């Protein structure tokens, strides 16, 4: 990769002394230069973006700036998903830049994606000059207004003097409490205006004070409930991963002897090889997870928000359970599921406190019962010698990478097969759009993850539909030699939609045929990226090995069976015990 | 749980867009707004919004929690859980030919309202009070023919000192 981090200490993420001193100088500089200096001071070494009239002062300030790395994507959606992938892979704040109007509106899907999954991103948009705001000027859009429902907070900067403070605040808000995207809209005249650069050291935002330390009494209540429970269950979500609480969760589960199910975003937050791990619950969750949910007497939700893809029909969800809910966002408690034991705080701190006094539940028989369900209905599929099965491809990737890769997915059947058949070992090793379910996310997010970890293996698994939503970012991989392994599970249809039409709409297949898709190998080659194709098991193994042995980016087109379905499946509007099991039936 | 009227006081940063953030939140999350008023508070830089909403206790709790998620929201208070003073102002323009004026003045007096404008054939009546009182006043004035009605929405405050 040609882009390298020159100025930050890789180990600490902090700027080295000389550069920091240089950046902190109270020079009279433009808003654009303030922005770049502030970003560097926040420890940002890579941003993703796309220029245009309203951000030209900012791009001018980047010109020849050796400290600042900017990646030009081919679409603003690519930029924000890349920033998102960077943030999810590292836990740091991702940054992207776009111009006013169409540039800014092209970010909307990515902002909503990050918002739904609580990903810390700072989004910088340009706007028309202050004097033109509200006049329907060329390329004007009220981006702060448009994005209000999908940002944690936003700023329209009216005075260049406010800029350093606003950037500090934006980073603070994005990365603390329940994380999320923050937008800073900078009118063109503000990015041009000059003022003395005064870096704000301390920030205090009245009205923003996330509770991180839990109420001791609630933690005690939780532990008491654990001791009394005979069928306890932990539901661990993305909050565990974001809080870096994997170790604490492991300790808590082992001390209390409580089985663990992990949501899609929680995958990797608990080692999938552990005997207490039951699987993923929900629409395409395991039989054991869903059955455990429906039979537990104590459900402890940790950093999970009871999304309807997990609970399915709320009325009838976990009907016999007392519910404890640990979350840093108090508004999640009681939002969907009535809570008996609320516990507001940073998941890691809550678990640390709980671990000091945790005693085992009376769960031995229950663990045995769950083990029985796991044995009886493991995830499985009918393999085929004549056709390539998508599940086989995912299993192969899982086995060869041994859980050590960062895997990003797009949205659809392949996403669920990754969730089911890839064995996750580490937190932040799965990057996927859970809450919004954004097609087009998988590939550009892998670029961001790979920029953050140039030496790690990053595998991006996509459907042939979703890949075509951001395929143009192949140019970015090619030009910077970003070695993402781009897997396409090519079933020639919008697979997940086909599955719904087959099962729910009486097999009336309507507009799911992707005929007219490009030859993905040639498409890759047209961008100067290596392309490989496999249509059976042997070719699949060979192509995958070749991809792994290739130092740069590779597209591997796995042509799989068209009409494979994801099972188990719980249909919308039904409860978790009404699972379609596929081959078992 | 039963749906009740609640009067919520929200102290916010006086920033552009705050009203949009708050009202947008209500709309987006399906919370109901009966009325919303905004004005200066006792502290420079902060405004106070008074929102009248209908919902059960769970909804009220969610409203408060979701409001607190907005960075510009500083304090949320459910006023209606305490003895409070709630007032609304209405301006009512009615048809008032000279011969009915004495009659109208009688109504106005009973309600301790006042007449703030008299035209050749019309009158504007100003009334201040809780929403029930204003509704009663409107009912009584209806027979004369209401030409225009403008209400401010409720502003409110807790009585005495609440600890
Ligand atoms: C932007 C966007 N548009 C539409 C959808 C609805 N959707 C969900 S899955 C799916 C099909 C995906 O097909 P493909 O990318 O080929 O993946 P597969 O399901 O075949 O693995 C669609 C259209 C979506 N999630 N996102």
């Amino acid at each position: 990769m040609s882009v390298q981090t020159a100025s930050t200490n890789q180990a600490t993420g902090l700027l080295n002394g000389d550069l920091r001193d240089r950046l902190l100088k109270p020079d009279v500089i433009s808003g654009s230069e303030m922005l770049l200096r502030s970003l560097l001071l926040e420890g940002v070494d890579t941003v993703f973006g796309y220029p245009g009239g309203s951000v030209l002062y900012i791009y001018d300030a980047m010109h020849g700036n050796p400290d600042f790395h900017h990646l030009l994507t081919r679409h603003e959606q690519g930029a924000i998903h890349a920033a998102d992938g960077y943030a999810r892979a590292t836990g740091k704040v991702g940054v992207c830049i776009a111009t006013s109007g169409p540039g800014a509106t092209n970010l909307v899907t990515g902002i909503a994606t990050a918002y739904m999954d609580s990903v810390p991103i700072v989004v910088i948009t340009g706007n028309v000059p202050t004097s033109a705001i509200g006049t329907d000027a060329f390329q004007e859009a009220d981006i702060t207004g448009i994005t209000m429902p999908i940002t944690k907070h936003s700023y329209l900067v009216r005075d260049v003097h406010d800029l350093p403070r606003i950037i500090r605040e934006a980073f603070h808000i994005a990365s603390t409490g329940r994380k999320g995207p923050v937008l800073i809209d900078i009118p063109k005249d503000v990015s041009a205006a000059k003022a003395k650069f005064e870096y704000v050291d301390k920030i205090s935002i009245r009205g923003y004070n996330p509770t991180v330390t839990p109420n001791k009494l609630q933690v005690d209540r939780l532990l008491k409930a654990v001791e009394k429970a005979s069928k306890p269950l932990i539901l661990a979500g993305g909050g565990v991963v974001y809080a870096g609480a994997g170790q604490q969760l492991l300790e808590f589960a082992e001390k209390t002897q409580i089985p663990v199910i992990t949501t899609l975003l929680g995958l990797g937050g608990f080692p999938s090889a552990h005997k207490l791990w039951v699987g993923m619950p929900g629409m395409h969750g395991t039989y054991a997870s869903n059955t455990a949910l429906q039979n537990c007497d104590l459900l402890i939700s940790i950093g999970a928000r009871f999304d309807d893809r997990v609970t399915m029909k709320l009325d009838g969800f976990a009907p016999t359970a007392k519910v404890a809910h640990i979350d840093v966002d108090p508004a999640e408690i009681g939002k969907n599921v009535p809570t008996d034991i609320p516990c507001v705080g940073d998941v890691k701190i809550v678990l640390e406190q709980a671990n000091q006094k945790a005693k085992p539940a009376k769960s031995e028989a229950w663990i045995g019962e769950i083990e029985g369900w796991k044995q009886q209905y493991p995830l499985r599929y009918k393999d085929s010698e004549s056709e390539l099965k998508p599940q086989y491809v995912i299993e192969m990737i899982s086995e060869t990478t041994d859980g050590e890769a960062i895997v990003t997915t797009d949205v659809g059947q392949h996403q669920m097969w990754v969730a089911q058949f890839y064995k996750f070992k580490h937190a932040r090793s799965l990057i996927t759009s859970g809450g919004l379910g954004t097609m087009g996310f998988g590939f550009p997010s892998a670029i961001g993850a790979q920029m953050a970890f140039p030496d790690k293996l990053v595998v991006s698994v996509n459907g042939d539909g979703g890949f075509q939503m951001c395929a143009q970012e192949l140019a970015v991989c090619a030009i910077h030699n970003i070695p993402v392994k781009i897997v396409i599970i090519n079933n020639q249809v919008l697979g997940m939609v086909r599955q719904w039409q087959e099962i729910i709409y009486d097999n009336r297949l309507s507009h799911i045929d992707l005929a007219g898709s490009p030859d993905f190998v040639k498409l890759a080659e047209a961008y100067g990226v290596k392309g490989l194709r496999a249509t059976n098991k042997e070719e699949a193994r060979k192509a995958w090995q070749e991809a792994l042995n290739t130092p740069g980016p590779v597209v591997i087109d796995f042509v799989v069976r068209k009409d494979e379905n994801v099972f188990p499946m719980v249909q919308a509007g039904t409860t978790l015990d009404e699972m379609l099991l596929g081959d078992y039936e | 749980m039963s749906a009740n009227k609640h009067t919520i006081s929200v102290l916010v940063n006086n920033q552009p867009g705050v009203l949009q953030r708050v009202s947008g939140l209500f709309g987006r999350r399906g919370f109901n707004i009966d009325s919303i008023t905004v004005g200066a508070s006792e502290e420079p830089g902060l405004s106070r919004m008074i929102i009248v909403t209908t919902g059960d206790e769970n909804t009220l709790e969610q409203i408060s929690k979701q409001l607190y998620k907005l960075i510009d929201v500083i304090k949320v208070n459910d006023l209606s859980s305490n003895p409070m003073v709630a007032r609304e102002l209405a301006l009512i323009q009615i048809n008032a030919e000279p011969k009915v004026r004495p009659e109208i003045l009688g109504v106005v007096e009973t309600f301790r309202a006042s007449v703030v404008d008299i035209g050749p054939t019309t009158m504007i009546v100003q009334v201040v009070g809780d929403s029930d009182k204003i509704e009663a006043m409107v009912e009584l004035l209806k027979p004369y023919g209401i030409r225009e009605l403008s209400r401010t929405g409720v502003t409110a405050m807790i009585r005495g000192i609440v600890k």
Side-chain angles (χ1 to χ4, degrees), chain A residues 145 148-149 153-154 206-208 329-331 333 335, chain B residues 17 20-21 28 43 46 62 65-66 69 71-74:
Chain A
M148 238 170 224
H153 193 53
S154 53
R206 194 170 165 188
Y208 181 68
D329 179 359
I333 287 163
K335 186 186 78 178
Chain B
Q20 189 186 351
R21 284 183 206 279
R28 176 164 83 247
E43 199 180 320
L46 302 187
Q62 263 301 307
K65 284 174 169 174
Q66 294 292 346
K69 282 178 72 165
I71 310 293
D72 283 326
V73 168
I74 291 171

PDB file of all heavy atoms in Angstrom, chain A residues 145 148-149 153-154 206-208 329-331 333 335, chain B residues 17 20-21 28 43 46 62 65-66 69 71-74:
ATOM      1  N   GLY A 145     -30.239  19.641   8.314  1.00  0.00           N
ATOM      2  CA  GLY A 145     -31.659  19.331   8.443  1.00  0.00           C
ATOM      3  C   GLY A 145     -31.979  17.922   7.950  1.00  0.00           C
ATOM      4  O   GLY A 145     -32.680  17.170   8.609  1.00  0.00           O
ATOM      5  N   MET A 148     -30.659  15.264  10.465  1.00  0.00           N
ATOM      6  CA  MET A 148     -30.943  15.364  11.901  1.00  0.00           C
ATOM      7  C   MET A 148     -31.403  14.034  12.525  1.00  0.00           C
ATOM      8  O   MET A 148     -30.955  13.672  13.603  1.00  0.00           O
ATOM      9  CB  MET A 148     -31.985  16.440  12.143  1.00  0.00           C
ATOM     10  CG  MET A 148     -31.466  17.511  13.066  1.00  0.00           C
ATOM     11  SD  MET A 148     -32.599  18.884  13.099  1.00  0.00           S
ATOM     12  CE  MET A 148     -31.432  20.231  12.977  1.00  0.00           C
ATOM     13  N   PRO A 149     -32.292  13.309  11.856  1.00  0.00           N
ATOM     14  CA  PRO A 149     -32.752  12.057  12.487  1.00  0.00           C
ATOM     15  C   PRO A 149     -31.723  10.936  12.454  1.00  0.00           C
ATOM     16  O   PRO A 149     -31.950   9.902  13.057  1.00  0.00           O
ATOM     17  CB  PRO A 149     -33.967  11.656  11.631  1.00  0.00           C
ATOM     18  CG  PRO A 149     -34.241  12.790  10.733  1.00  0.00           C
ATOM     19  CD  PRO A 149     -33.003  13.595  10.611  1.00  0.00           C
ATOM     20  N   HIS A 153     -25.362  14.071  16.619  1.00  0.00           N
ATOM     21  CA  HIS A 153     -25.427  15.524  16.746  1.00  0.00           C
ATOM     22  C   HIS A 153     -24.887  16.124  15.454  1.00  0.00           C
ATOM     23  O   HIS A 153     -24.235  15.432  14.675  1.00  0.00           O
ATOM     24  CB  HIS A 153     -24.584  15.986  17.941  1.00  0.00           C
ATOM     25  CG  HIS A 153     -24.841  17.418  18.323  1.00  0.00           C
ATOM     26  ND1 HIS A 153     -26.093  17.902  18.571  1.00  0.00           N
ATOM     27  CD2 HIS A 153     -23.993  18.463  18.497  1.00  0.00           C
ATOM     28  CE1 HIS A 153     -26.013  19.197  18.893  1.00  0.00           C
ATOM     29  NE2 HIS A 153     -24.749  19.554  18.849  1.00  0.00           N
ATOM     30  N   SER A 154     -25.161  17.410  15.232  1.00  0.00           N
ATOM     31  CA  SER A 154     -24.602  18.040  14.040  1.00  0.00           C
ATOM     32  C   SER A 154     -24.349  19.511  14.295  1.00  0.00           C
ATOM     33  O   SER A 154     -24.945  20.114  15.199  1.00  0.00           O
ATOM     34  CB  SER A 154     -25.543  17.851  12.854  1.00  0.00           C
ATOM     35  OG  SER A 154     -26.845  18.289  13.184  1.00  0.00           O
ATOM     36  N   ARG A 206     -22.455  21.127  28.307  1.00  0.00           N
ATOM     37  CA  ARG A 206     -23.563  21.057  29.233  1.00  0.00           C
ATOM     38  C   ARG A 206     -24.683  20.276  28.559  1.00  0.00           C
ATOM     39  O   ARG A 206     -24.963  20.492  27.394  1.00  0.00           O
ATOM     40  CB  ARG A 206     -24.026  22.482  29.533  1.00  0.00           C
ATOM     41  CG  ARG A 206     -24.938  22.547  30.706  1.00  0.00           C
ATOM     42  CD  ARG A 206     -25.141  23.990  31.084  1.00  0.00           C
ATOM     43  NE  ARG A 206     -26.288  24.088  31.973  1.00  0.00           N
ATOM     44  CZ  ARG A 206     -26.806  25.214  32.360  1.00  0.00           C
ATOM     45  NH1 ARG A 206     -26.287  26.353  31.940  1.00  0.00           N
ATOM     46  NH2 ARG A 206     -27.837  25.224  33.170  1.00  0.00           N
ATOM     47  N   GLY A 207     -25.302  19.387  29.260  1.00  0.00           N
ATOM     48  CA  GLY A 207     -26.376  18.620  28.648  1.00  0.00           C
ATOM     49  C   GLY A 207     -25.864  17.338  28.020  1.00  0.00           C
ATOM     50  O   GLY A 207     -26.630  16.570  27.471  1.00  0.00           O
ATOM     51  N   TYR A 208     -24.545  17.108  28.076  1.00  0.00           N
ATOM     52  CA  TYR A 208     -24.023  15.844  27.553  1.00  0.00           C
ATOM     53  C   TYR A 208     -23.100  15.220  28.581  1.00  0.00           C
ATOM     54  O   TYR A 208     -21.985  15.689  28.789  1.00  0.00           O
ATOM     55  CB  TYR A 208     -23.284  16.063  26.235  1.00  0.00           C
ATOM     56  CG  TYR A 208     -22.752  14.772  25.646  1.00  0.00           C
ATOM     57  CD1 TYR A 208     -23.625  13.814  25.165  1.00  0.00           C
ATOM     58  CD2 TYR A 208     -21.380  14.504  25.608  1.00  0.00           C
ATOM     59  CE1 TYR A 208     -23.149  12.612  24.652  1.00  0.00           C
ATOM     60  CE2 TYR A 208     -20.896  13.316  25.093  1.00  0.00           C
ATOM     61  CZ  TYR A 208     -21.793  12.382  24.616  1.00  0.00           C
ATOM     62  OH  TYR A 208     -21.323  11.192  24.101  1.00  0.00           O
ATOM     63  N   ASP A 329     -26.840   3.458  26.875  1.00  0.00           N
ATOM     64  CA  ASP A 329     -27.884   4.408  26.454  1.00  0.00           C
ATOM     65  C   ASP A 329     -29.166   4.124  27.235  1.00  0.00           C
ATOM     66  O   ASP A 329     -29.856   3.138  26.967  1.00  0.00           O
ATOM     67  CB  ASP A 329     -28.134   4.231  24.949  1.00  0.00           C
ATOM     68  CG  ASP A 329     -29.231   5.160  24.437  1.00  0.00           C
ATOM     69  OD1 ASP A 329     -29.806   5.929  25.240  1.00  0.00           O
ATOM     70  OD2 ASP A 329     -29.513   5.113  23.221  1.00  0.00           O
ATOM     71  N   PRO A 330     -29.502   5.004  28.195  1.00  0.00           N
ATOM     72  CA  PRO A 330     -30.682   4.733  29.031  1.00  0.00           C
ATOM     73  C   PRO A 330     -31.966   4.621  28.207  1.00  0.00           C
ATOM     74  O   PRO A 330     -32.907   3.932  28.613  1.00  0.00           O
ATOM     75  CB  PRO A 330     -30.758   5.938  29.972  1.00  0.00           C
ATOM     76  CG  PRO A 330     -29.723   6.899  29.536  1.00  0.00           C
ATOM     77  CD  PRO A 330     -28.807   6.236  28.565  1.00  0.00           C
ATOM     78  N   ALA A 331     -31.995   5.264  27.055  1.00  0.00           N
ATOM     79  CA  ALA A 331     -33.226   5.241  26.254  1.00  0.00           C
ATOM     80  C   ALA A 331     -33.492   3.863  25.658  1.00  0.00           C
ATOM     81  O   ALA A 331     -34.593   3.587  25.201  1.00  0.00           O
ATOM     82  CB  ALA A 331     -33.156   6.287  25.152  1.00  0.00           C
ATOM     83  N   ILE A 333     -33.362   1.162  27.403  1.00  0.00           N
ATOM     84  CA  ILE A 333     -33.973   0.331  28.440  1.00  0.00           C
ATOM     85  C   ILE A 333     -35.481   0.536  28.454  1.00  0.00           C
ATOM     86  O   ILE A 333     -35.969   1.656  28.590  1.00  0.00           O
ATOM     87  CB  ILE A 333     -33.309   0.617  29.797  1.00  0.00           C
ATOM     88  CG1 ILE A 333     -31.907  -0.015  29.738  1.00  0.00           C
ATOM     89  CG2 ILE A 333     -34.119   0.036  30.946  1.00  0.00           C
ATOM     90  CD1 ILE A 333     -30.962   0.449  30.747  1.00  0.00           C
ATOM     91  N   LYS A 335     -37.351   0.286  25.907  1.00  0.00           N
ATOM     92  CA  LYS A 335     -37.852   0.806  24.631  1.00  0.00           C
ATOM     93  C   LYS A 335     -38.695  -0.244  23.907  1.00  0.00           C
ATOM     94  O   LYS A 335     -39.807   0.050  23.470  1.00  0.00           O
ATOM     95  CB  LYS A 335     -36.685   1.251  23.733  1.00  0.00           C
ATOM     96  CG  LYS A 335     -37.129   1.938  22.449  1.00  0.00           C
ATOM     97  CD  LYS A 335     -35.963   2.249  21.514  1.00  0.00           C
ATOM     98  CE  LYS A 335     -35.518   1.005  20.767  1.00  0.00           C
ATOM     99  NZ  LYS A 335     -34.421   1.250  19.815  1.00  0.00           N
TER     100      LYS A 335
ATOM    101  N   GLY B  17     -32.007  25.432  15.050  1.00  0.00           N
ATOM    102  CA  GLY B  17     -32.285  24.021  14.769  1.00  0.00           C
ATOM    103  C   GLY B  17     -32.797  23.229  15.961  1.00  0.00           C
ATOM    104  O   GLY B  17     -33.226  22.087  15.804  1.00  0.00           O
ATOM    105  N   GLN B  20     -36.374  22.227  15.690  1.00  0.00           N
ATOM    106  CA  GLN B  20     -36.498  21.157  14.694  1.00  0.00           C
ATOM    107  C   GLN B  20     -36.057  19.812  15.274  1.00  0.00           C
ATOM    108  O   GLN B  20     -36.689  18.789  15.028  1.00  0.00           O
ATOM    109  CB  GLN B  20     -35.636  21.514  13.474  1.00  0.00           C
ATOM    110  CG  GLN B  20     -35.858  20.596  12.297  1.00  0.00           C
ATOM    111  CD  GLN B  20     -34.883  20.890  11.153  1.00  0.00           C
ATOM    112  OE1 GLN B  20     -34.149  21.875  11.180  1.00  0.00           O
ATOM    113  NE2 GLN B  20     -34.866  20.027  10.159  1.00  0.00           N
ATOM    114  N   ARG B  21     -34.980  19.833  16.039  1.00  0.00           N
ATOM    115  CA  ARG B  21     -34.519  18.578  16.643  1.00  0.00           C
ATOM    116  C   ARG B  21     -35.591  18.001  17.560  1.00  0.00           C
ATOM    117  O   ARG B  21     -35.868  16.799  17.537  1.00  0.00           O
ATOM    118  CB  ARG B  21     -33.248  18.810  17.470  1.00  0.00           C
ATOM    119  CG  ARG B  21     -32.001  18.978  16.644  1.00  0.00           C
ATOM    120  CD  ARG B  21     -30.777  19.121  17.540  1.00  0.00           C
ATOM    121  NE  ARG B  21     -29.723  19.854  16.872  1.00  0.00           N
ATOM    122  CZ  ARG B  21     -28.875  19.319  15.986  1.00  0.00           C
ATOM    123  NH1 ARG B  21     -28.958  18.045  15.687  1.00  0.00           N
ATOM    124  NH2 ARG B  21     -27.958  20.061  15.401  1.00  0.00           N
ATOM    125  N   ARG B  28     -40.892  11.666  14.512  1.00  0.00           N
ATOM    126  CA  ARG B  28     -40.223  10.461  14.043  1.00  0.00           C
ATOM    127  C   ARG B  28     -40.524   9.260  14.924  1.00  0.00           C
ATOM    128  O   ARG B  28     -40.655   8.147  14.456  1.00  0.00           O
ATOM    129  CB  ARG B  28     -38.729  10.788  14.056  1.00  0.00           C
ATOM    130  CG  ARG B  28     -37.776   9.749  13.708  1.00  0.00           C
ATOM    131  CD  ARG B  28     -36.442  10.406  13.406  1.00  0.00           C
ATOM    132  NE  ARG B  28     -35.636  10.710  14.579  1.00  0.00           N
ATOM    133  CZ  ARG B  28     -35.335  11.918  15.002  1.00  0.00           C
ATOM    134  NH1 ARG B  28     -35.810  12.973  14.376  1.00  0.00           N
ATOM    135  NH2 ARG B  28     -34.571  12.096  16.051  1.00  0.00           N
ATOM    136  N   GLU B  43     -32.142  31.910  32.140  1.00  0.00           N
ATOM    137  CA  GLU B  43     -30.695  31.944  31.930  1.00  0.00           C
ATOM    138  C   GLU B  43     -30.361  32.315  30.488  1.00  0.00           C
ATOM    139  O   GLU B  43     -30.877  31.698  29.561  1.00  0.00           O
ATOM    140  CB  GLU B  43     -30.133  30.550  32.257  1.00  0.00           C
ATOM    141  CG  GLU B  43     -28.665  30.588  32.524  1.00  0.00           C
ATOM    142  CD  GLU B  43     -28.104  29.214  32.850  1.00  0.00           C
ATOM    143  OE1 GLU B  43     -28.769  28.443  33.569  1.00  0.00           O
ATOM    144  OE2 GLU B  43     -27.006  28.920  32.363  1.00  0.00           O
ATOM    145  N   LEU B  46     -30.177  29.957  27.136  1.00  0.00           N
ATOM    146  CA  LEU B  46     -31.039  28.781  27.241  1.00  0.00           C
ATOM    147  C   LEU B  46     -32.491  29.168  27.003  1.00  0.00           C
ATOM    148  O   LEU B  46     -32.930  30.240  27.411  1.00  0.00           O
ATOM    149  CB  LEU B  46     -30.943  28.141  28.636  1.00  0.00           C
ATOM    150  CG  LEU B  46     -29.570  27.682  29.113  1.00  0.00           C
ATOM    151  CD1 LEU B  46     -29.705  26.917  30.423  1.00  0.00           C
ATOM    152  CD2 LEU B  46     -28.890  26.801  28.078  1.00  0.00           C
ATOM    153  N   GLN B  62     -40.114   7.185  27.777  1.00  0.00           N
ATOM    154  CA  GLN B  62     -39.342   7.172  26.534  1.00  0.00           C
ATOM    155  C   GLN B  62     -39.137   8.586  26.008  1.00  0.00           C
ATOM    156  O   GLN B  62     -38.054   8.926  25.548  1.00  0.00           O
ATOM    157  CB  GLN B  62     -40.052   6.330  25.468  1.00  0.00           C
ATOM    158  CG  GLN B  62     -39.544   4.901  25.353  1.00  0.00           C
ATOM    159  CD  GLN B  62     -38.066   4.819  25.009  1.00  0.00           C
ATOM    160  OE1 GLN B  62     -37.599   5.413  24.045  1.00  0.00           O
ATOM    161  NE2 GLN B  62     -37.304   4.090  25.801  1.00  0.00           N
ATOM    162  N   LYS B  65     -36.400  10.121  27.998  1.00  0.00           N
ATOM    163  CA  LYS B  65     -35.088   9.528  27.703  1.00  0.00           C
ATOM    164  C   LYS B  65     -34.599   9.915  26.318  1.00  0.00           C
ATOM    165  O   LYS B  65     -33.416  10.198  26.109  1.00  0.00           O
ATOM    166  CB  LYS B  65     -35.172   8.012  27.801  1.00  0.00           C
ATOM    167  CG  LYS B  65     -35.218   7.498  29.228  1.00  0.00           C
ATOM    168  CD  LYS B  65     -35.449   5.998  29.211  1.00  0.00           C
ATOM    169  CE  LYS B  65     -35.245   5.387  30.591  1.00  0.00           C
ATOM    170  NZ  LYS B  65     -35.608   3.950  30.571  1.00  0.00           N
ATOM    171  N   GLN B  66     -35.511   9.906  25.357  1.00  0.00           N
ATOM    172  CA  GLN B  66     -35.094  10.261  23.995  1.00  0.00           C
ATOM    173  C   GLN B  66     -34.709  11.739  23.927  1.00  0.00           C
ATOM    174  O   GLN B  66     -33.774  12.104  23.221  1.00  0.00           O
ATOM    175  CB  GLN B  66     -36.206   9.944  22.987  1.00  0.00           C
ATOM    176  CG  GLN B  66     -36.509   8.449  22.836  1.00  0.00           C
ATOM    177  CD  GLN B  66     -35.376   7.666  22.194  1.00  0.00           C
ATOM    178  OE1 GLN B  66     -34.445   8.221  21.623  1.00  0.00           O
ATOM    179  NE2 GLN B  66     -35.448   6.348  22.297  1.00  0.00           N
ATOM    180  N   LYS B  69     -31.266  12.379  24.972  1.00  0.00           N
ATOM    181  CA  LYS B  69     -30.227  11.984  24.022  1.00  0.00           C
ATOM    182  C   LYS B  69     -29.805  13.148  23.129  1.00  0.00           C
ATOM    183  O   LYS B  69     -28.727  13.130  22.562  1.00  0.00           O
ATOM    184  CB  LYS B  69     -30.719  10.824  23.145  1.00  0.00           C
ATOM    185  CG  LYS B  69     -30.666   9.489  23.868  1.00  0.00           C
ATOM    186  CD  LYS B  69     -31.202   8.365  23.005  1.00  0.00           C
ATOM    187  CE  LYS B  69     -30.267   8.010  21.874  1.00  0.00           C
ATOM    188  NZ  LYS B  69     -30.621   6.710  21.266  1.00  0.00           N
ATOM    189  N   ILE B  71     -28.157  16.419  22.285  1.00  0.00           N
ATOM    190  CA  ILE B  71     -27.054  17.096  22.966  1.00  0.00           C
ATOM    191  C   ILE B  71     -27.498  18.464  23.476  1.00  0.00           C
ATOM    192  O   ILE B  71     -27.038  18.941  24.508  1.00  0.00           O
ATOM    193  CB  ILE B  71     -25.850  17.260  21.995  1.00  0.00           C
ATOM    194  CG1 ILE B  71     -25.503  15.932  21.321  1.00  0.00           C
ATOM    195  CG2 ILE B  71     -24.652  17.876  22.702  1.00  0.00           C
ATOM    196  CD1 ILE B  71     -24.959  14.848  22.181  1.00  0.00           C
ATOM    197  N   ASP B  72     -28.408  19.121  22.770  1.00  0.00           N
ATOM    198  CA  ASP B  72     -28.820  20.475  23.163  1.00  0.00           C
ATOM    199  C   ASP B  72     -29.873  20.485  24.273  1.00  0.00           C
ATOM    200  O   ASP B  72     -30.276  21.556  24.720  1.00  0.00           O
ATOM    201  CB  ASP B  72     -29.359  21.239  21.945  1.00  0.00           C
ATOM    202  CG  ASP B  72     -28.219  21.722  21.053  1.00  0.00           C
ATOM    203  OD1 ASP B  72     -27.156  22.065  21.597  1.00  0.00           O
ATOM    204  OD2 ASP B  72     -28.411  21.758  19.823  1.00  0.00           O
ATOM    205  N   VAL B  73     -30.326  19.328  24.684  1.00  0.00           N
ATOM    206  CA  VAL B  73     -31.309  19.283  25.771  1.00  0.00           C
ATOM    207  C   VAL B  73     -30.587  19.206  27.108  1.00  0.00           C
ATOM    208  O   VAL B  73     -29.753  18.319  27.322  1.00  0.00           O
ATOM    209  CB  VAL B  73     -32.260  18.089  25.603  1.00  0.00           C
ATOM    210  CG1 VAL B  73     -33.076  17.862  26.879  1.00  0.00           C
ATOM    211  CG2 VAL B  73     -33.192  18.337  24.421  1.00  0.00           C
ATOM    212  N   ILE B  74     -30.924  20.131  27.994  1.00  0.00           N
ATOM    213  CA  ILE B  74     -30.212  20.193  29.266  1.00  0.00           C
ATOM    214  C   ILE B  74     -31.024  19.585  30.403  1.00  0.00           C
ATOM    215  O   ILE B  74     -30.494  18.871  31.240  1.00  0.00           O
ATOM    216  CB  ILE B  74     -29.810  21.643  29.551  1.00  0.00           C
ATOM    217  CG1 ILE B  74     -28.734  22.005  28.530  1.00  0.00           C
ATOM    218  CG2 ILE B  74     -29.295  21.820  30.972  1.00  0.00           C
ATOM    219  CD1 ILE B  74     -28.346  23.415  28.473  1.00  0.00           C
TER     220      ILE B  74
END
